[in-house]
Amino acid sequence: MIYRENGQFKTSYAADQQIFPIRQDRIAILALLIFAGVGVPLFADEYLFRAILIPFLILSLAALGVNLLVGYCGQITLGAGAFMAVGAYAAYNFLIRVDGMPMLIAVLLGGVVAALVGIVFGVPSLRVRGLYLAVATLAAQFFWDWAFLRIRWFTNYSSSGSVSVAELDFFGWRIETPVEKYLLCLGLLILFALVAKNLTRGAIGRQWMAIRDMDVAAEVIGIRPMYAKLSAFAVSSFYLGVAGALWGFVHLGSWEPAAFSIDRSFQLLFMVIIGGLGSIMGSFFGAAFIVVLPIFLNQFLPWLGGLVGVTISTAAVSHAEFMIFGALIIFFLIVEPHGLARLWSTGKEKLRLWPFPH
Amino acid sequence: MKLSKLAIAAAMAATLSAPIHAAEQFFPVLVYRTGAYAPNGSQWANGYVDYLKLVNAKGGINGVKIAYEECEFGYATDRGVECYERLKNKHGGATVFQPLSTGVTFALTDKAPIDKIPLITAGYGRSESQNGAVFTWNFPLLGTYWVAADVLVQHVAKKEGGFDKLKGKKIALVYHDSPYGKEPIALLEERAKMHGFQLMLLPVAHPGVEQKATWLQIRQQRPDYVFLWGWGVMNSTALKEAQATGYPREKMYGVWWAGAEPDVKDVGEGAKGYNALALQHGAEPNAKVVKDILTLVYDKGQGTGPREEVGNVLYMRGLISAMLGVEGVRRAQERFGKGKVMTGEQVRWGLENLDLDQKKLDALGFAGVMRPVRTSCLDHMGSSWVRIHTWNGTKWEFTSDWYQADEKVIRPMVMLASAKYAEEKKITPRTPEQCKE
């Protein structure tokens, strides 16, 4: 009744092609952004920022990157963690080796380096596809894991192989408090999500999708597979690189290669699969599901136990967390194989007809 | 109806779980009772929590009871940081954090000065954090990995009959490929230069169950000694591989994290003769403090872990770690007011001015378990005494005298590394005057 577009007429192409054609959506998104930018900093406490919101924002950005490659271009990758690592270590090296390098520029340069590396490791995609490509990208993961552990130049000869960033300085603005860190991540995420949405709606995104749906047919109608695939690798790796640099700089502060291990690659791939392949919105759902749910379960279960007067041991909570988390993944994949984003759009469809479904 | 009942229950739970305990000293407990390192981590955690229970059973710290809460992080750095953020402001603020993970220690080293919570890393963490002038909030009490490596070289030299006999010898370091395992390399390289022995570096990837290639190299190269820097399942795997390759266990020396019951129990007879460092203490089932815990905690049915593990090596490590934290609070109370709850800043002062002499240790029930600890601004370690114990097939036995790390080797390295850290992080080291405050 409330959510329907009756009476909203589009009189120009621009109005017809905008990202959110329905006015209610625009209002809702605007309200959400204002809430995230103004409301959240007002009431959230430090724990919420540092332990939940900042990791969620950064991994959303990473999931967005993986989704561009896997969801839109159909190139399965298991090297996402490696590209994050490349971004983080490249940004670190720019920061310490170039005098007076502003933090944000270093982060973006980290993304650029990751993009270049992504192009190189995307070359096998021109020959192999599907699961075989996944195995090929696994090589990226292992290679960079090895490189950052063994080549000591990357870690500035630190004796333990762990690197850390002193302070986050952005043209005189010192980013110290959790709120500032949150706003930085939020700003970058909004910017990059907007770019990603527009990329996927534009010519290049259509090329990616054509390649994904059937690459031979795409080639026949004049899409160059090399250009389309490598550009997808480049853009995706850029996103991952920026996310990796933020993960190191803003979230962890000091890190070792284990922060970007193969587990991280799997985690990102699962985010995209659970959230919804080929959906910008899905990246956010997936990140929220994977980042927030385990922490929520970890705190909710003891509380629930306390409610019925049972003290659950820490180990039992942790085991239960794994079991429930796994069961939920299976549940969602059975109920909606296309991911949480599809559930969302089904919900929207239903809402449009409500309360008079036919 | 159902909903309203739930709401009432929720409201009641909320009021019940609200902190009623106004004046309690809060000890957050970061543990890993799950995952690849659980067999080792859970014993440490049990010892830690049991000691806090014992202090409460004895009436608290000058009457101040201890509150504690566990948070499970499975040895994952990001979850460890999440636990830290979750616990640091609970129950009136955390007293001290002891993460039992070098990776988490590295991450928290940046956060501790901002949140003003001291970090005790008894027997692990950054080696250069011994210099309290730079690392104001870090306390690697009892020993760092440089101390461990230094003592191992000393012991091997003694076996060979002098440092000059080390020339041309080959020592292999089999290490966990993480900041933890890499810490001793700097010192061993320094010592290798001094004495002319050859150092073989053999990294093992997390979690350490795949070591075939490593031991193949050892079989080919036949090093004179193997130093094992492992944790969790990596240790028992290494011993099994040594058995399979036929490398003599008598020539293997583990760090103090590779010298506990879970590491050798599965291998049993096969691990006979294997040596490991003891961070002062070994397995101490006869210590007075252990008997106190059995009577005051376990006999009342409040024990955290299985009774038969009380007094094991890692259990004792957890116990001593908790004791150091509690004594830091007690020392702080002497200056800032007995019977009061101490803030993180006050506890930091207490830890920096810790003076546990033999009399105090005896009174606490630690006679024969450990040696006196005395910290200062420039020395946040407090003691660098180490001995070696050997697995005889059924239990750990001390087989060496006390060793002390060579200050002449370690001090310059600590100063150099901490100066580099201070420069990177733009920290001005505290002057002796500032130290007195």
Side-chain angles (χ1 to χ4, degrees):
Chain A
M1 198 150 54
I2 311 159
Y3 185 72
R4 59 175 183 186
E5 66 259 49
N6 290 20
Q8 297 176 22
F9 300 108
K10 278 115 191 166
T11 49
S12 65
Y13 282 115
D16 199 33
Q17 287 178 343
Q18 56 191 330
I19 297 177
F20 299 106
I22 305 169
R23 188 190 299 134
Q24 285 89 336
D25 275 352
R26 286 199 296 276
I27 295 168
I29 288 291
L30 199 68
L32 185 72
L33 287 183
I34 291 172
F35 175 70
V38 183
V40 171
L42 283 179
F43 81 84
D45 64 354
E46 201 184 338
Y47 169 72
L48 205 59
F49 279 124
R50 283 188 194 265
I52 293 176
L53 289 174
I54 291 174
F56 163 68
L57 291 178
I58 297 173
L59 288 181
S60 297
L61 184 61
L64 208 57
V66 176
N67 215 339
L68 288 179
L69 186 61
V70 181
Y72 284 96
C73 197
Q75 310 296 309
I76 301 175
T77 171
L78 282 176
F83 298 126
M84 280 181 84
V86 169
Y89 281 96
Y92 168 76
N93 278 297
F94 277 118
L95 195 71
I96 58 158
R97 287 177 204 283
V98 182
D99 244 1
M101 171 70 81
M103 184 270 299
L104 195 62
I105 307 294
V107 167
L108 293 177
L109 281 174
V112 171
V113 173
L116 295 177
V117 170
I119 292 175
V120 174
F121 280 90
V123 169
S125 72
L126 305 177
R127 290 280 168 183
V128 292
R129 42 181 96 109
L131 282 176
Y132 300 98
L133 178 65
V135 175
T137 53
L138 205 57
Q141 180 69 44
F142 287 124
F143 173 74
W144 288 108
D145 255 3
W146 172 86
F148 294 127
L149 277 171
R150 293 283 163 268
I151 303 175
R152 299 186 60 199
W153 184 84
F154 286 128
T155 52
N156 198 21
Y157 303 97
S158 115
S159 62
S160 57
S162 175
V163 298
S164 63
V165 183
E167 54 188 23
L168 304 175
D169 186 39
F170 179 48
F171 294 120
W173 175 34
R174 280 189 65 183
I175 300 166
E176 272 174 343
T177 65
V179 182
E180 289 170 328
K181 288 179 173 175
Y182 165 78
L183 289 176
L184 173 79
C185 293
L186 183 71
L188 283 176
L189 180 63
I190 292 173
L191 178 72
F192 282 119
L194 199 65
V195 171
K197 184 74 188 169
N198 280 316
L199 275 179
T200 56
R201 293 174 343 127
I204 193 162
R206 281 157 211 272
Q207 290 185 15
W208 293 345
M209 283 184 267
I211 291 281
R212 171 191 69 190
D213 293 340
M214 194 175 180
D215 53 356
V216 178
E219 205 172 343
V220 167
I221 60 168
I223 292 169
R224 285 171 296 158
M226 188 172 97
Y227 172 74
K229 283 181 179 175
L230 292 188
S231 62
F233 263 98
V235 173
S236 155
S237 305
F238 177 78
Y239 275 59
L240 283 165
V242 170
L246 287 176
W247 188 256
F249 282 29
V250 178
H251 180 52
L252 293 177
S254 85
W255 71 94
E256 65 226 36
F260 306 105
S261 65
I262 180 92
D263 294 346
R264 180 75 62 212
S265 299
F266 280 121
Q267 200 189 28
L268 288 169
L269 193 63
F270 293 157
M271 277 181 198
V272 175
I273 292 173
I274 292 169
L277 286 165
S279 153
I280 300 290
M281 194 63 125
S283 312
F284 295 98
F285 287 139
F289 187 85
I290 298 237
V291 176
V292 183
L293 193 69
I295 297 174
F296 167 75
L297 283 175
N298 196 285
Q299 305 195 36
F300 175 71
L301 290 176
W303 179 82
L304 195 70
L307 214 60
V308 291
V310 184
T311 322
I312 311 173
S313 78
T314 348
V317 168
S318 185
H319 290 139
E321 174 198 318
F322 275 118
M323 286 189 273
I324 297 174
F325 187 58
L328 277 176
I329 289 178
I330 294 171
F331 173 77
F332 276 117
L333 288 184
I334 291 173
V335 172
E336 189 48 87
H338 296 287
L340 298 171
R342 179 61 68 88
L343 278 181
W344 175 255
S345 57
T346 318
K348 275 197 350 187
E349 282 306 315
K350 291 243 164 78
L351 199 60
R352 253 185 229 192
L353 300 177
W354 184 84
F356 304 116
H358 29 252
Chain B
M1 174 60 200
K2 235 181 177 177
L3 211 67
S4 63
K5 250 189 188 165
L6 253 176
I8 291 168
M12 273 171 67
T15 45
L16 278 179
S17 63
I20 330 161
H21 28 259
E24 287 191 344
Q25 192 75 43
F26 174 52
F27 277 71
V29 192
L30 264 57
V31 296
Y32 36 103
R33 295 176 182 282
T34 61
Y37 306 95
N40 302 46
S42 53
Q43 289 203 20
W44 186 92
N46 291 340
Y48 195 88
V49 175
D50 275 349
Y51 189 79
L52 300 180
K53 286 179 180 168
L54 176 72
V55 172
N56 275 348
K58 284 183 170 175
I61 313 168
N62 294 325
V64 180
K65 290 273 170 117
I66 294 174
Y68 54 86
E69 186 174 331
E70 284 190 16
C71 184
E72 165 76 33
F73 71 103
Y75 205 66
T77 301
D78 50 349
R79 285 302 287 270
V81 173
E82 192 267 324
C83 277
Y84 168 84
E85 298 291 348
R86 192 195 300 179
L87 293 180
K88 73 177 181 192
N89 289 327
K90 275 201 178 172
H91 309 291
T95 309
V96 56
F97 272 95
Q98 307 208 24
L100 193 61
S101 147
T102 303
V104 177
T105 306
F106 274 68
L108 296 190
T109 298
D110 295 335
K111 296 179 188 278
I114 300 167
D115 298 322
K116 307 220 177 297
I117 303 169
L119 214 58
I120 297 182
T121 57
Y124 55 98
R126 301 183 85 109
S127 298
E128 65 264 35
S129 65
Q130 186 192 355
N131 182 3
V134 175
F135 292 89
T136 314
W137 297 87
N138 291 50
F139 292 89
L141 293 167
L142 302 185
T144 63
Y145 293 131
W146 289 353
V147 168
D150 194 70
V151 167
L152 279 181
V153 175
Q154 283 184 40
H155 180 73
V156 165
K158 198 173 164 193
K159 282 212 124 176
E160 293 286 333
F163 280 112
D164 48 325
K165 299 268 171 36
L166 282 181
K167 202 171 181 66
K169 290 270 187 279
K170 212 185 269 178
I171 295 178
L173 175 69
V174 177
Y175 65 96
H176 191 266
D177 206 353
S178 65
Y180 155 56
K182 286 180 183 172
E183 273 287 322
I185 294 175
L187 187 122
L188 288 173
E189 277 173 347
E190 183 77 20
R191 279 280 193 185
K193 252 187 271 162
M194 282 167 68
H195 310 303
F197 63 82
Q198 192 193 334
L199 184 65
M200 275 171 73
L201 296 176
L202 301 170
V204 174
H206 156 90
V209 281
E210 183 48 62
Q211 298 182 29
K212 286 264 183 280
T214 312
W215 288 90
L216 197 66
Q217 265 175 292
I218 288 178
R219 185 145 97 190
Q220 283 168 348
Q221 310 261 338
R222 283 273 148 197
D224 297 283
Y225 294 96
V226 170
F227 292 172
L228 180 63
W229 232 264
W231 183 225
V233 69
M234 175 180 160
N235 294 331
S236 48
T237 310
L239 284 166
K240 280 177 200 154
E241 292 290 344
Q243 199 180 0
T245 2
Y247 189 85
R249 261 70 75 208
E250 292 76 18
K251 302 231 163 186
M252 287 176 68
Y253 289 88
V255 68
W256 44 62
W257 299 109
E261 289 81 2
D263 307 325
V264 288
K265 271 261 163 73
D266 291 348
V267 199
E269 276 297 307
K272 198 172 164 183
Y274 167 67
N275 313 288
L277 292 172
L279 188 68
Q280 306 210 354
H281 67 89
E284 312 278 357
N286 301 317
K288 186 172 166 287
V289 60
V290 170
K291 287 182 177 147
D292 282 355
I293 282 188
L294 287 176
T295 52
L296 290 173
V297 180
Y298 277 79
D299 287 348
K300 297 203 172 120
Q302 291 168 343
T304 318
R307 194 184 173 102
E308 59 274 12
E309 282 180 5
V310 174
N312 276 1
V313 176
L314 286 169
Y315 181 93
M316 290 306 291
R317 186 87 31 89
L319 195 80
I320 289 173
S321 303
M323 183 273 282
L324 292 167
V326 169
E327 289 313 304
V329 175
R330 204 188 298 277
R331 181 79 180 95
Q333 283 192 0
E334 283 172 22
R335 176 171 167 186
F336 300 104
K338 279 195 179 165
K340 284 190 193 152
V341 175
M342 295 289 112
T343 64
E345 260 181 303
Q346 290 166 334
V347 175
R348 195 204 71 76
W349 182 89
L351 288 168
E352 191 165 281
N353 296 283
L354 204 61
D355 187 8
L356 289 173
D357 54 17
Q358 198 58 52
K359 221 171 79 195
K360 279 188 195 155
L361 286 175
D362 291 353
L364 289 167
F366 285 86
V369 177
M370 57 186 286
R371 292 201 157 187
V373 181
R374 189 177 181 163
T375 53
S376 68
C377 179
L378 275 181
D379 179 18
H380 273 193
M381 192 161 74
S383 163
S384 61
W385 291 98
V386 184
R387 47 187 166 167
I388 284 167
H389 57 184
T390 305
W391 179 252
N392 70 1
T394 46
K395 67 178 202 303
W396 287 99
E397 275 177 345
F398 287 110
T399 49
S400 86
D401 286 340
W402 287 94
Y403 286 98
Q404 193 171 23
D406 192 346
E407 275 293 290
K408 284 202 286 296
V409 180
I410 291 184
R411 206 11 93 172
M413 289 181 65
V414 168
M415 295 319 270
L416 202 72
S418 56
K420 188 183 162 202
Y421 180 86
E423 193 192 304
E424 259 177 36
K425 295 274 175 179
K426 303 191 178 78
I427 298 170
T428 329
R430 288 185 294 160
T431 57
E433 286 76 45
Q434 283 169 313
C435 279
K436 283 186 193 119
E437 280 162 19

